[in-house]
Amino acid sequence: MTDAIRRSRRSSGRLTLEDVARAAGVSPITVSRALRGERSVDPVLVERVREAAARLGYVPDPAARALASQRSTHVAVLIPLLTNTLFVDLLEAVQRTLRAQGFQTLIGVTHYDPREEEQLLREQLMHRPAGLIVTGFERSEETRALIQASRVPCVHVMETSRAPGVHCVGFSQQDAGQALTEHLLARGARRIAYAAAQLDARVMQRAEGYRRALQAAGCYDPALEFLRPEPSSFALGAQMFGRIVAEAKPDAIFFCNDDLAQGALMAAPRLGISVPRDVAVAGFNDLPGSDQLLPSLTSVRTPRREIGEEAAHMLLQLMRGEAISTSCVELAWSVVTRESS
Amino acid sequence: MTDAIRRSRRSSGRLTLEDVARAAGVSPITVSRALRGERSVDPVLVERVREAAARLGYVPDPAARALASQRSTHVAVLIPLLTNTLFVDLLEAVQRTLRAQGFQTLIGVTHYDPREEEQLLREQLMHRPAGLIVTGFERSEETRALIQASRVPCVHVMETSRAPGVHCVGFSQQDAGQALTEHLLARGARRIAYAAAQLDARVMQRAEGYRRALQAAGCYDPALEFLRPEPSSFALGAQMFGRIVAEAKPDAIFFCNDDLAQGALMAAPRLGISVPRDVAVAGFNDLPGSDQLLPSLTSVRTPRREIGEEAAHMLLQLMRGEAISTSCVELAWSVVTRESS
DNA sequence: CTGAAAGCGCTTACAG
DNA sequence: CTGAAAGCGCTTACAG
């Protein structure tokens, strides 16, 4: 009889359930159940197991667990970009909330490309994620089918939908767009342009809110919509600003995102345009820098951190098979009035 | 005899090696070897297996693979922030390169906190990553020991070191800081301030380059170093700019990062300071927006995308156990001269 | 409430 | 070059 535990040739040297079981004087399966918090384990044994696991420094093997249970502790997150602070804030909130519950986040950056999204999702699904967070509702039929067929719990972020069976956390992009436009109207503007890039679903929903406000005020003019499909950037904002002012002579411009609006404000002195005297400017998302520029930028503060937290919480409930109170959480935004309009 | 394959109660319904083996008329282990590209498999069989796998749409189970081989296809990456474009660019390059070779990236954001880094690393190591990428060399002794003990191949990014056994991809922060300071000297500046935040190792290495240049020119003055430990931001740059100009009356300011410098440029009109007439300004990293501001910002273009790619390639070699040519790759940066100095 | 057996889908180590 | 057996470290499904 020797104290040394004989290990097979292939042992990883890692502590296993069996080591803990031996230390606690129970069977491995009881350790498994106790550690996972399954009820129907004698509280006394649970305590003994917990103590032994802690003392030995036992850490369950995620691969073995995933193989045996057919579910991992990975959560796949699909977002369009990492270069927009919006999504970084969202992501950090998701990651912080999920980490605290033992889940890892696998990030997929789609670059607003439906084919890239589909490819990323396929790769992520191979890892049998326990949950999925995707941005908005706009995607290829194939991607939608993959999500459905995978039966992986899924939460949509940024937009809202009341469709049955859909889980989402976001806010009404349309209402926010409308409110910002109404702010510009209230400041006396009548020829209000909408300047947008990327043209993803959310940008177009803001456009819809813009139209609604202007139609209600009787001053909607389709010629004042400037829609560019390329990615949003400071440079594009600067370029669009110069052109729109020269061509359309608006008294206000609603840029669909702060980066475009910031680019416009940076270019204004060079173009010899005074904001808001010559033209008022507003952005969307209230990104870093908008409060620093001269003039400071009027924008819409969007609840991305809250969206990330709520979405993670909702997903945790879904992954645990718990009943959830609301399948669609709508969060609040606010218009931030500054010097530019 | 029935065509339906009888599956056990616990089958995941997933295609397995055995399905492919049956289709190809070989044993499962041969399929495993063929698909992993192990030599010592008859090329004819390899072809037959490949064809069968492709036809059936077989995808190996990462969990089973990880459990059996004691190594996953995860690569853990530790970076300080996601809110600095610098690290996003780095990360995207890493992710793109590794994905192409079948590896997944697990991102850990340390927020420049050694304790958070250690905690994240512990969590990541539980997943037995196949490789590790960490930022710089500054970390707790515990974290260093964890990396060492894990025996997971590790590449350090952003900085360089010739220490034996260390793998790194980066550039000389000190040389770059020196070159930018020399540029300011060449433009006639003598009272050159160094304005820094966060004060991580790289920021201090740039400071060292700044000192070297000024000492060589005989105009180093410690009173012109303004070091703030809090995180870098536009607002802090604006605040520091006003104070430094008022207190020290420098003829140039070298901000350790573009976000500080951009904040300064945004605040300049409000403060009634004309750049570069009253004071020249330079930044570091050439972030988005630096070419758009008025005046446009002189900066140092840093090779973060290249660092990401090279680091991923180096790590791939290490993970495959291949011999690597250089364990320290030093990449080129360049001073970008614009209107601000 | 507890446990022995079987299995998750791969790879390793050993034979031949 | 190929394969049968055993094993990676867990959890499921079945008994009791």
Side-chain angles (χ1 to χ4, degrees):
Chain A
M1 290 284 273
T2 164
D3 275 11
I5 292 149
R6 206 169 300 277
R7 293 197 174 279
S8 88
R9 277 282 178 112
R10 289 185 61 186
S11 165
S12 60
R14 191 179 178 117
L15 278 165
T16 68
L17 270 187
E18 204 171 330
D19 297 313
V20 180
R22 197 157 21 219
V26 294
S27 73
I29 184 60
T30 298
V31 176
S32 169
R33 286 199 270 246
L35 259 27
R36 274 179 297 132
E38 236 187 45
R39 48 186 147 277
S40 83
V41 179
D42 185 337
V44 177
L45 290 188
V46 171
E47 199 33 58
R48 218 156 78 201
V49 167
R50 285 239 174 91
E51 188 277 322
R55 182 161 44 80
L56 298 177
Y58 168 74
V59 177
D61 182 328
R65 184 170 265 187
L67 181 59
S69 69
Q70 310 281 9
R71 46 168 41 233
S72 72
T73 57
H74 290 299
V75 169
V77 179
L78 290 170
I79 54 174
L81 286 179
L82 234 29
T83 45
N84 187 335
T85 311
L86 175 72
F87 296 112
V88 170
D89 291 344
L90 176 79
L91 192 63
E92 288 232 30
V94 165
Q95 206 153 17
R96 195 175 344 100
T97 310
L98 292 177
R99 253 187 79 201
Q101 304 298 320
F103 289 92
Q104 285 69 43
T105 306
L106 281 179
I107 299 163
V109 181
T110 69
H111 302 100
Y112 286 107
D113 179 346
R115 294 160 147 276
E116 200 164 342
E117 182 178 43
E118 186 184 329
Q119 178 60 27
L120 281 164
L121 182 65
R122 282 186 197 283
E123 292 171 17
Q124 291 177 333
L125 288 178
M126 286 179 199
H127 288 261
R128 310 186 192 185
L132 191 58
I133 292 179
V134 299
T135 307
F137 298 103
E138 201 181 35
R139 51 185 43 85
S140 75
E141 233 3 281
E142 289 75 21
T143 305
R144 242 186 287 272
L146 279 172
I147 295 174
Q148 194 86 41
S150 74
R151 313 192 119 273
V152 174
C154 177
V155 174
H156 302 71
V157 290
M158 296 314 293
E159 300 173 45
T160 55
S161 156
R162 301 291 170 176
V166 167
H167 301 280
C168 56
V169 181
F171 62 95
S172 169
Q173 305 275 346
Q174 195 172 335
D175 288 357
Q178 182 175 345
L180 184 61
T181 310
E182 284 164 355
H183 163 76
L184 296 173
L185 284 165
R187 305 279 292 184
R190 283 300 169 267
R191 288 184 55 76
I192 304 177
Y194 183 68
Q198 194 61 60
L199 310 186
D200 60 89
R202 291 167 294 289
V203 163
M204 298 317 287
Q205 287 158 23
R206 286 167 216 158
E208 203 42 50
Y210 154 86
R211 285 178 203 130
R212 214 162 48 180
L214 290 188
Q215 277 159 355
C219 44
Y220 174 61
D221 177 357
L224 290 176
E225 289 188 7
F226 297 85
L227 307 178
R228 300 275 294 257
E230 62 261 55
S232 198
S233 72
F234 294 127
L236 181 61
Q239 189 205 95
M240 291 182 79
F241 184 57
R243 287 211 198 153
I244 292 171
V245 169
E247 289 173 18
K249 307 211 186 311
D251 45 24
I253 307 177
F254 170 0
F255 286 95
C256 73
N257 195 43
D258 270 15
D259 57 357
L260 290 178
Q262 290 182 3
L265 294 185
M266 291 178 194
R270 226 185 282 275
L271 295 166
I273 303 170
S274 168
V275 177
R277 211 191 52 204
D278 300 335
V279 60
V281 168
F284 201 96
N285 278 327
D286 195 22
L287 300 182
S290 291
D291 57 342
Q292 298 295 319
L293 284 159
L294 185 70
S296 57
L297 180 64
T298 293
S299 191
V300 173
R301 183 173 296 147
T302 51
R304 55 256 195 186
R305 212 199 55 217
E306 292 84 347
I307 292 176
E309 285 168 2
E310 286 294 325
H313 281 128
M314 189 184 281
L315 189 60
L316 284 167
Q317 291 184 288
L318 291 170
M319 293 188 297
R320 291 175 184 140
E322 294 171 10
I324 60 170
S325 37
T326 11
S327 59
C328 180
V329 173
E330 186 161 341
L331 295 168
W333 42 268
S334 63
V335 174
V336 185
T337 306
R338 298 204 184 92
E339 299 162 349
S340 70
S341 60
Chain B
M1 292 283 273
T2 163
D3 274 13
I5 292 149
R6 204 168 299 278
R7 293 195 173 280
S8 87
R9 276 280 178 116
R10 288 185 62 186
S11 163
S12 60
R14 192 180 177 115
L15 278 164
T16 69
L17 269 187
E18 203 171 331
D19 297 313
V20 180
R22 199 160 18 222
V26 295
S27 73
I29 183 59
T30 299
V31 175
S32 169
R33 287 199 271 245
L35 258 27
R36 274 178 298 133
E38 234 186 47
R39 45 187 149 277
S40 86
V41 180
D42 185 339
V44 178
L45 289 188
V46 171
E47 200 31 59
R48 218 156 80 201
V49 167
R50 286 240 173 89
E51 188 276 323
R55 182 160 43 79
L56 297 177
Y58 169 74
V59 177
D61 182 327
R65 185 170 265 185
L67 180 60
S69 69
Q70 310 280 10
R71 44 166 44 231
S72 73
T73 57
H74 290 299
V75 169
V77 179
L78 289 170
I79 54 174
L81 287 179
L82 234 28
T83 44
N84 187 335
T85 312
L86 175 71
F87 295 112
V88 170
D89 291 345
L90 176 79
L91 192 63
E92 288 231 31
V94 166
Q95 206 152 17
R96 194 174 345 102
T97 310
L98 292 178
R99 252 187 80 200
Q101 305 297 319
F103 289 92
Q104 286 68 43
T105 307
L106 281 178
I107 299 163
V109 182
T110 68
H111 302 100
Y112 286 106
D113 179 347
R115 293 160 148 275
E116 199 164 344
E117 181 178 43
E118 186 183 328
Q119 178 58 27
L120 282 164
L121 182 65
R122 281 187 197 282
E123 292 171 17
Q124 291 177 334
L125 288 178
M126 286 181 198
H127 289 262
R128 310 183 190 190
L132 191 57
I133 292 180
V134 300
T135 306
F137 299 102
E138 201 181 35
R139 51 184 43 85
S140 76
E141 234 1 282
E142 289 75 21
T143 305
R144 241 186 288 272
L146 279 172
I147 295 174
Q148 195 85 43
S150 73
R151 313 193 120 274
V152 174
C154 177
V155 175
H156 301 71
V157 290
M158 296 313 293
E159 301 173 46
T160 55
S161 157
R162 302 290 170 178
V166 168
H167 301 281
C168 57
V169 181
F171 63 95
S172 170
Q173 305 274 346
Q174 194 171 337
D175 288 355
Q178 181 176 345
L180 184 61
T181 311
E182 284 165 355
H183 162 77
L184 296 173
L185 285 165
R187 306 277 293 183
R190 283 301 169 268
R191 288 185 56 76
I192 304 177
Y194 183 68
Q198 193 63 59
L199 310 186
D200 59 272
R202 291 167 294 290
V203 163
M204 297 318 286
Q205 287 159 22
R206 286 167 216 158
E208 201 44 49
Y210 154 88
R211 285 176 203 132
R212 213 160 49 180
L214 290 188
Q215 277 160 354
C219 43
Y220 174 61
D221 177 359
L224 291 176
E225 289 189 8
F226 298 85
L227 307 178
R228 299 275 293 258
E230 62 260 56
S232 199
S233 71
F234 294 127
L236 181 60
Q239 188 205 95
M240 291 182 79
F241 184 57
R243 288 211 197 152
I244 292 172
V245 169
E247 290 173 17
K249 308 211 184 310
D251 45 25
I253 306 177
F254 171 0
F255 286 96
C256 73
N257 195 43
D258 270 15
D259 57 356
L260 290 178
Q262 290 181 4
L265 293 186
M266 291 178 193
R270 226 184 281 274
L271 295 166
I273 303 170
S274 168
V275 177
R277 212 191 51 203
D278 301 335
V279 60
V281 168
F284 201 95
N285 279 326
D286 194 23
L287 300 182
S290 290
D291 56 343
Q292 298 294 320
L293 284 159
L294 185 70
S296 57
L297 180 64
T298 292
S299 191
V300 174
R301 182 173 296 148
T302 51
R304 55 255 196 185
R305 213 198 55 217
E306 292 84 346
I307 291 175
E309 285 167 3
E310 285 294 327
H313 281 128
M314 189 184 280
L315 189 60
L316 284 167
Q317 291 184 289
L318 290 170
M319 292 188 297
R320 291 175 184 138
E322 295 170 9
I324 60 170
S325 37
T326 11
S327 58
C328 179
V329 174
E330 185 160 342
L331 295 168
W333 42 268
S334 64
V335 173
V336 186
T337 307
R338 298 206 183 92
E339 299 162 350
S340 70
S341 61

